Amino acid sequence: MKISLPKSLLETALTNCQNFLDKRDRSQITSHICFEAKDDKLILKATDYEIWLESHINIQPQAQGNATANGKQILDIIKRLKDGDINLEAKEDTLHISQGRSRTKLPMFNADEFPRFPEYDNNAQINIEAQKFLTSLKRINPAVDTNNPKYELNGSLLDIKEYGFNFVATDTRRLAVIEYKSQSINALSLIIPKKAISEISRLFIDHLEIYHNPTHLILKNNEYTFYTKLINGKFPDYEKIIPKEFKYKILLPKDKFVDALQFVKSLANNIKITLSPNEVLFESLNEESGEASTQIEAQTGIESLTLGINSKYILDFLSQIDGNEFTFCINESNTPFIVMSENFSTVIMPVIL
């Protein structure tokens, strides 16, 4: 392999590969990035066996072939070189990196032993608009749990039904759901790990194609092909958790509600809210750290109702909606309530007062 390419292209590709490396054990080939020069492109590959990335750079190699290099080491070297073209050449078991009078050599593994990437059928495509897919994952990601013994809760459910598809996440204290209506050909349920969601949000902005096989989800555009293992498990029956009816549905101003929560939250994350006919009162619950209160004007239609909330859960929801108002749905003080905006809703368990 022999190739010359601009530093900016190589540094960007190497940077995007870093989260896909096994950094704990440099003796493993998965601590390396695999370079493959063929036809009119350079392909960089990285994997930790949970997520995989192929980064494509359109450039004509001087000699085709492949090589590997420790992913962290080569990025550190490239960062220290000047802007302009950088030369990469594989000779026997060494990758030579040069620019002007600067020379570096890094040891290589046998590139033929680099892990094979998952295979998929081009016909196994999921026809969801890229913007809907990316926006929905971003919005519900705060509700995805981390390190839950019930492994399926450490990911987001993509639930495709005959009449539409839903994105769902829960950490057992809240349940976030985004619903879309459409006709689907094949019903399908996939649980996408939280780690993968973070990488998807970082790598993809708009256009992408979505594929799957029985164990993996694959996303593809002109620059990247991304693979993730799916979580093997049964996601909770979320539709049974969502209350079907409410005594009260209140339209509230988003910005004023956020400001009130942030003010009281400075002393305590758990907050007491009192709804009365013409206002909402916010009070801190943890008196040991001091007291804080504020109120906003709102026509609630409620004589008097008090409940405890975890402010983070509502703020996570409000940070992901576009409108100036949202709907607050509740039955009684100690029952789950819902905050919703258009097709996005979050069921939240109250804090017991």
Side-chain angles (χ1 to χ4, degrees), residues 136-269:
S136 298
L137 284 183
K138 179 176 179 288
R139 283 181 169 176
I140 66 171
N141 192 40
V144 179
D145 212 346
T146 54
N147 300 318
N148 194 302
K150 294 182 178 179
Y151 195 52
E152 59 272 15
L153 299 186
N154 299 314
S156 167
L157 174 69
L158 171 55
D159 190 18
I160 302 176
K161 301 172 177 292
E162 292 181 3
Y163 54 82
F165 56 94
N166 301 333
F167 291 83
V168 191
T170 182
D171 57 9
T172 72
R173 298 298 302 173
R174 57 179 159 170
L175 171 72
V177 182
I178 299 178
E179 300 177 275
Y180 293 98
K181 302 297 182 185
S182 71
Q183 289 186 336
S184 303
I185 298 174
N186 297 315
L188 184 67
S189 292
L190 308 174
I191 304 177
I192 307 168
K194 190 177 183 74
K195 179 180 179 180
I197 295 171
S198 299
E199 292 305 314
I200 291 168
S201 299
R202 188 174 64 87
L203 292 169
F204 297 94
I205 299 172
D206 41 38
H207 172 71
L208 60 84
E209 297 172 359
I210 310 168
Y211 301 89
H212 71 97
N213 65 27
T215 54
H216 295 83
L217 180 74
I218 302 97
L219 307 182
K220 185 177 181 180
N221 66 10
N222 293 331
E223 296 178 77
Y224 307 108
T225 304
F226 168 88
Y227 308 74
T228 178
K229 272 187 178 178
L230 296 167
I231 294 177
N232 182 20
K234 184 173 176 55
F235 202 83
D237 189 349
Y238 63 95
E239 291 179 312
K240 288 185 177 179
I241 299 171
I242 303 172
K244 300 299 185 287
E245 296 181 352
F246 291 96
K247 286 184 181 179
Y248 309 106
K249 292 186 177 181
I250 310 157
L251 197 63
L252 294 170
K254 181 182 80 170
D255 292 343
K256 290 181 179 179
F257 204 92
V258 168
D259 289 343
L261 284 177
Q262 293 285 17
F263 175 75
V264 179
K265 179 178 176 288
S266 60
L267 288 186
N269 198 48

Side-chain angles (χ1 to χ4, degrees), residues 106-131:
L106 291 176
M108 298 194 306
F109 283 113
N110 182 351
D112 293 334
E113 296 177 0
F114 199 80
R116 293 188 178 276
F117 276 40
E119 296 180 354
Y120 63 96
D121 188 337
N122 284 328
N123 292 323
Q125 187 169 1
I126 300 174
N127 293 310
I128 296 177
E129 292 175 28
Q131 206 56 50

Side-chain angles (χ1 to χ4, degrees), residues 17-81:
C17 286
Q18 294 303 301
N19 290 345
F20 295 77
L21 300 171
D22 180 356
K23 299 185 181 71
R24 296 166 299 179
D25 189 350
R26 289 176 56 180
S27 69
Q28 298 295 319
I29 195 169
T30 47
S31 70
H32 278 219
I33 293 171
C34 181
F35 300 83
E36 185 178 357
K38 67 175 186 178
D39 301 328
D40 57 352
K41 66 179 61 177
L42 174 66
I43 302 173
L44 284 72
K45 297 181 179 181
T47 182
D48 62 2
Y49 293 112
E50 296 292 330
I51 53 177
W52 292 257
L53 182 66
E54 287 184 7
S55 181
H56 305 264
I57 301 175
N58 293 321
I59 196 157
Q60 189 68 49
Q62 293 141 292
Q64 300 193 25
N66 52 29
T68 80
N70 180 275
K72 184 179 184 305
Q73 280 187 321
I74 190 170
L75 177 59
D76 289 343
I77 291 165
I78 299 304
K79 281 181 174 179
R80 286 172 171 78
L81 295 176

Side-chain angles (χ1 to χ4, degrees), residues 145 213-214 273 345 352:
D145 212 346
N213 65 27
I273 290 181
S345 61
I352 304 301

